[in-house]
């Protein structure tokens, strides 16, 4: 038990929680925007995988983490383009296409990895951090929150930006209308398909960034299937948060914290079944978001393709 | 009359020989299904390479379906059976529901893992393997090499094979140094490909004091390796990694202390032989130190003196002087690790 009370261990746990939460936050924010506009984006997992591979590949080849993140975002954007084309433009079933994209990119990224890195398994060096003077010196919390890679601060900042967009801008209204009453938006002269396309592409970009975070910061390498369901957890967070970006942040933070708690309990030697301990993150996120987020709502036209004039 | 009995006996002998010959299964093709690509320096690679080697020895064609993931493999099983496979080796515990089902449907024998009680003569064989004897040696090695007096066990799931190795590692470490601390952590439920989780949990275990990590994780073990490469031990020195099943030496950057190596060729050899002799599904297959199907990898990081001591322990295990019993059950493993703390 004394292992739990050292600064080094507590710092590692809190740092690990933040690292585990950031990809979920990015994926969840993206999914939320897509859902707000009426597109149930089940392909988020595939977009994350594409971002993870593209990000790792670019960072490894160029030795630049920043280029890696750019490539990761583009990777997710590329998969989202397919989603936008097939689901928003052509009106195909969003769930089927989403699952198809996820399975497809699981295979494509595994194949690319097999051919390019299958025998060498290259690893990236530790990512440089941006230290916030003063705050970074706070014991335990300082290194975990204020001595992190730039992308961590950007991800948290995005919550404020997205929240501002939803509450204070016309774009936020258009997104809301595209998901709730697309026909009403259409009669005002706003192109519903364009708004939904924008939402899906943004979702892909954010998911790609989340994937790149996983491979560049989280693991420092790429292995096939490495998202391990993170995209689907992002979808759950977005659905439970129901349109509120700060609830996605809360969900991701709770999930990350509970993951670290599971490690702490195991290292402390708490003798309960591992399955029970590992249920904690999922149970905690659902409990908190169901209790506090139940008054929010899902868009009325979620998952329904928009066809002008259709009844 | 005597001539009649002679003829009858001869006919009966011929009949017996012919019926034995007709009972013996003809094995022309075998197939192996693996969840990840056969290049993981671990479970998948060892399985696929061993199936190919066993097939070559027996003059049998080997079909390989790799990178199948952990979902439903029924279509792949049907496809491989359709291609003429006389044996389907389902090389993942996640396949041990689908494989017997499809095997029964298409009348093709299947081999599965992690279900020792599921064997069925002529239909289902189980090869729940454990390198627990090797893991015991790894535990002895870790305790000898640890500077901090703490060693970590990080796993990406709790299948029986890994539980037995985790338990044996803990027992070995404790047998070597009574006061050693053993820190045990599971990354997540079936987190076999979760490299980021592997890195995160390993970093936490290192921060709790471990300077040697015994890792079992398929794809996630690369995350564990990355963690030991980028994280310093409490004393500022190196953290070492002990791997299982495969040999990661080709990608080692000086942090790989050893590996509990598995050789699955004898297992698949025996399976093919049993299939041909109509004994398939009548016994469980094992690996161990005695026939070198389990070995501890010697790396440059292990001093010769320490390796000599480990070799002596190996001899004691092989001779039966030291008994290492497998602990397959997760609950019993937790009890054991807790009791040893």
């Amino acid at each position: 038990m004394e292992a739990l009370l050292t600064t080094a261990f507590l710092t590692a746990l809190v740092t690990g929680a933040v690292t585990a939460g950031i990809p979920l936050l990015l994926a969840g924010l993206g999914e939320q925007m897509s859902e707000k506009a009426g597109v149930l984006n089940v392909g988020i997992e595939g977009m994350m995988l594409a971002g993870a591979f593209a990000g790792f590949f670019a960072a490894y080849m160029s030795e630049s983490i920043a280029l890696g993140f750019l490539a990761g975002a583009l990777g997710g954007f590329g998969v989202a383009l397919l989603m936008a084309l097939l689901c928003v433009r052509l009106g195909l079933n969003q769930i089927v296409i989403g699952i198809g994209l996820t399975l497809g990119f699981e295979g494509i990224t595994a194949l690319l990895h097999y051919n390019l890195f299958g025998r060498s398994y290259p690893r990236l060096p530790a990512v440089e951090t941006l230290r916030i003077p003063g705050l970074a010196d706070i014991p335990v919390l300082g290194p975990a929150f204020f001595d992190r890679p730039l992308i961590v601060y950007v991800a948290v900042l995005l919550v404020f930006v997205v929240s501002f967009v939803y509450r204070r801008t016309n774009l936020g209204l258009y997104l809301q209308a595209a998901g709730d009453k697309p026909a009403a938006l259409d009669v005002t002269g706003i192109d519903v398909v364009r708004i939904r396309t924008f939402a899906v592409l943004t979702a892909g970009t954010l998911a790609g960034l989340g994937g790149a975070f996983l491979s560049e910061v989280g693991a420092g390498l790429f292995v096939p299937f490495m998202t391990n369901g993170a995209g689907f957890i992002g979808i759950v967070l977005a659905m439970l948060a129901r349109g509120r970006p700060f609830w996605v942040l809360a969900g991701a933070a709770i999930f990350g914290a509970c993951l670290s708690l599971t490690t702490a309990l195991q290292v402390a030697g708490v003798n309960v079944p591992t399955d029970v301990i590992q249920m904690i993150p999922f149970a905690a996120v659902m409990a908190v978001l169901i209790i506090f987020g139940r008054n929010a709502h899902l868009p009325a036209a979620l998952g329904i393709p928009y066809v002008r004039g259709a009844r | 009359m005597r001539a009649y009995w002679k003829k009858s006996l001869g006919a009966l002998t011929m009949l017996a020989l012919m019926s034995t010959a007709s009972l013996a299964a003809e094995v022309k093709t075998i197939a192996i299904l693996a969840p990840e690509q056969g290049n993981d320096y671990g479970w998948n690679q060892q399985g696929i390479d061993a199936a190919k080697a066993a097939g070559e020895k027996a003059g049998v064609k080997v079909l390989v379906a790799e990178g199948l993931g952990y979902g439903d493999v029924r279509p792949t099983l049907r496809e491989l059976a359709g291609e003429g496979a006389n044996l389907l080796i389902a090389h993942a515990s996640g396949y041990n529901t689908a494989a017997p089902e499809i095997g029964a449907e298409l009348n093709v024998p299947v081999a599965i893992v992690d279900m020792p009680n599921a064997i069925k003569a002529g239909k289902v064989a189980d090869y729940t393997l454990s390198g627990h004897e090797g893991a015991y040696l790894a535990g002895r090695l870790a305790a000898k090499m640890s500077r901090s007096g703490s060693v970590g066990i990080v796993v990406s799931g709790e299948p029986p094979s890994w539980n037995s190795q985790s338990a044996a590692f803990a027992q070995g470490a404790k047998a070597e140094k009574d006061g050693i601390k053993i820190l045990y952590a599971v990354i997540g439920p079936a987190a076999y490909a979760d490299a980021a989780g592997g890195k995160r949990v390993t970093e936490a275990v290192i921060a709790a004091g471990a300077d040697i990590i015994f890792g079992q994780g398929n794809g996630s073990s690369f995350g564990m390796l990355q963690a030991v490469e980028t994280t310093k031990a409490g004393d500022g020195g190196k953290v070492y990694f002990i791997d299982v099943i495969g040999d990661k030496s080709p990608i080692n950057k000086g942090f790989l202390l050893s590996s509990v190596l598995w050789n699955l060729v004898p297992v698949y050899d025996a399976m093919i032989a049993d299939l041909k002799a109509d004994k398939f599904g009548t016994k469980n297959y094992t690996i161990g130190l005695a026939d070198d199907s389990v070995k501890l990898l010697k790396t440059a990081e292990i001093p010769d003196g320490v390796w000599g001591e480990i070799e002596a322990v190996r001899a004691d295990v092989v001779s039966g002087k030291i008994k290492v019993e497998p602990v397959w059950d997760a609950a019993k493993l937790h009890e054991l690790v807790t009791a040893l703390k």
Side-chain angles (χ1 to χ4, degrees):
Chain A
M1 185 61 84
E2 66 272 22
L4 290 179
L5 302 175
T6 64
T7 306
F9 184 59
L10 292 174
T11 304
L13 286 180
V14 183
T15 305
V18 175
T19 305
I22 293 296
L24 303 179
L25 171 63
L26 289 165
L29 282 178
E31 176 67 21
Q32 189 175 55
M33 185 173 288
S34 182
E35 286 183 14
K36 207 172 187 68
V39 181
L40 183 58
N41 194 343
V42 186
I44 283 283
E45 179 88 357
M47 294 169 196
M48 286 188 85
L49 266 175
F53 181 81
F56 172 75
F57 180 81
Y60 177 68
M61 300 308 275
S62 68
E63 297 181 2
S64 163
I65 292 296
L67 273 181
F69 279 115
L70 183 64
L74 284 173
F77 180 88
V79 183
L81 263 179
L82 291 173
M83 180 93 189
L85 176 69
L86 297 171
C87 296
V88 181
R89 300 271 159 176
L90 300 178
L92 301 181
N93 187 293
Q94 295 169 11
I95 293 175
V96 173
I97 296 299
I99 292 172
L101 287 175
T102 294
L103 293 176
F105 278 88
E106 278 183 356
I108 289 169
T109 51
L111 187 67
L112 286 170
H113 177 264
Y114 182 80
N115 285 321
L116 294 169
F117 305 120
R119 293 287 158 192
S120 55
Y121 282 90
R123 276 93 75 198
L124 299 172
V127 176
E128 277 186 30
T129 58
L130 178 63
R131 188 180 166 81
I132 312 279
L135 293 172
D137 297 323
I138 301 169
V140 179
L141 300 180
F145 291 106
F146 305 111
D147 189 8
R148 302 310 306 266
L150 178 64
I151 187 73
V152 172
Y153 307 114
V154 171
V156 176
L157 189 66
L158 272 173
V159 178
F160 291 87
V161 173
V162 173
S163 184
F164 177 80
V165 168
Y166 290 165
R167 285 166 177 266
R168 305 277 178 192
T169 67
N170 284 341
L171 177 62
L173 274 178
Y174 299 158
L175 287 165
Q176 180 92 40
D180 270 334
K181 290 189 188 298
L185 181 65
D186 201 5
V187 295
T188 64
I190 306 296
D191 188 338
V192 175
V193 169
R194 190 170 290 178
I195 292 296
R196 286 187 168 186
T197 301
F198 168 80
V200 170
L201 294 180
T202 305
T205 305
L206 291 177
L209 262 183
F213 183 91
L214 262 182
S215 61
E216 291 182 52
V217 180
L221 54 95
F222 180 87
V223 294
F225 313 113
M226 71 176 297
T227 45
N228 202 45
F232 293 109
I233 296 169
I235 294 172
V236 172
L237 290 181
M239 295 203 95
L240 291 172
R242 299 178 184 179
R244 302 170 180 182
F246 282 99
W247 284 103
V248 177
L249 175 64
I254 292 166
F255 196 88
C258 289
L259 278 179
S260 281
L261 178 66
T262 63
T263 307
L265 291 172
Q266 292 177 80
V267 170
V270 175
N271 188 16
V272 292
T274 311
D275 292 336
V276 173
I277 293 178
Q278 288 175 343
M279 210 189 294
I280 294 172
F282 302 94
V285 168
M286 282 194 279
V288 169
L289 293 180
I290 287 170
I291 292 166
F292 296 102
R294 66 181 186 275
N295 293 328
H297 76 287
L298 288 172
L302 180 63
I304 303 168
Y306 179 69
V307 182
R308 180 178 283 179
R311 286 172 184 269
Chain B
M1 192 63 174
R2 203 169 169 181
Y4 169 78
W5 281 114
K6 266 188 181 171
K7 277 183 187 170
S8 300
L9 191 65
L12 277 171
T13 310
M14 285 296 289
L15 193 66
L17 284 170
M18 282 171 69
S19 61
T20 310
S22 66
L23 278 174
E26 196 180 13
V27 184
K28 284 186 176 172
T29 307
I30 63 170
I32 181 165
L33 299 90
E36 295 175 29
Q37 298 288 345
N39 60 339
D40 62 350
Y41 296 100
W43 170 252
N44 297 281
Q45 184 171 335
Q46 294 298 90
I48 290 167
D49 289 353
K52 285 179 181 168
E56 199 178 324
K57 275 166 75 177
V60 166
K61 187 180 169 191
V62 180
L63 304 173
V64 177
E66 54 192 318
L68 299 175
Y70 298 91
D72 187 5
V73 290
R74 286 175 180 82
T76 313
L77 287 161
R78 286 198 183 93
E79 199 178 312
L80 292 168
E83 286 182 37
N86 306 110
L87 167 65
L88 296 167
I89 302 171
H91 194 59
S93 55
Y95 302 164
N96 57 20
T97 303
E101 189 185 304
I102 300 301
E105 180 187 311
L106 302 174
N107 201 24
V108 178
V110 296
I112 57 173
V113 291
D114 292 342
M115 283 184 85
N117 297 326
I119 60 171
K120 203 180 272 183
K123 296 180 188 313
V124 182
D126 172 86
Y127 63 111
T128 302
L129 305 175
S130 168
H132 56 280
E133 292 176 344
Y136 178 84
L137 297 185
R140 299 286 295 250
L141 172 68
K144 282 180 190 292
M145 298 283 292
S146 172
R147 306 180 304 275
S148 67
S150 290
V151 294
I153 301 171
V154 180
V155 294
S156 60
E158 293 188 311
S161 304
W162 291 4
N163 292 339
S164 73
Q165 294 192 133
S166 296
F169 177 86
Q171 287 169 323
K174 211 69 184 177
E176 184 63 38
K177 201 181 280 178
D178 191 43
I180 199 146
K181 259 202 265 178
I182 294 155
L183 308 168
Y184 177 78
V186 186
I187 300 164
Y192 300 110
D194 187 359
K199 181 167 179 260
R200 173 175 51 77
V201 173
T202 305
E203 284 171 348
V205 172
I206 293 169
D211 57 3
I212 293 181
I213 301 294
F214 179 62
Q216 307 188 77
N218 286 11
S220 65
S221 66
F222 293 98
M224 301 175 199
L225 193 55
Q226 170 77 340
V228 302
E229 287 170 358
T230 54
T231 313
K232 295 236 180 293
D235 63 359
K238 249 185 187 183
V239 180
Y240 283 109
F241 185 63
I242 300 179
D243 196 26
V244 294
I245 304 179
D247 180 1
K248 288 190 173 69
S249 298
I251 57 166
N252 179 23
K253 293 180 179 174
F255 295 84
L256 182 69
L257 182 63
S258 186
S259 180
V260 179
L261 300 175
W262 292 16
N263 178 9
L264 275 68
V265 178
V267 174
Y268 296 150
D269 281 345
M271 259 184 216
I272 294 170
D274 286 348
L275 203 57
K276 286 179 173 171
D278 288 314
K279 289 179 186 166
F280 186 80
T282 57
K283 66 170 192 275
N284 293 97
Y285 300 96
T286 56
I287 51 175
L289 291 177
D291 65 354
D292 277 342
S293 53
V294 172
K295 280 197 292 194
L296 200 61
L297 175 72
K298 166 87 168 78
T299 65
E301 307 299 323
I302 307 173
D304 289 341
V306 171
W307 185 251
E309 290 166 17
I310 294 297
E311 285 281 276
V313 177
R314 179 191 175 277
D316 286 347
V317 174
V318 171
S319 70
K321 194 172 161 190
I322 295 175
K323 286 208 182 305
V324 188
E325 296 296 336
V327 176
W328 304 105
D329 184 51
K332 284 186 183 152
L333 164 66
H334 298 163
E335 275 173 28
L336 177 76
V337 173
T338 309
L340 292 179
K341 271 178 184 289

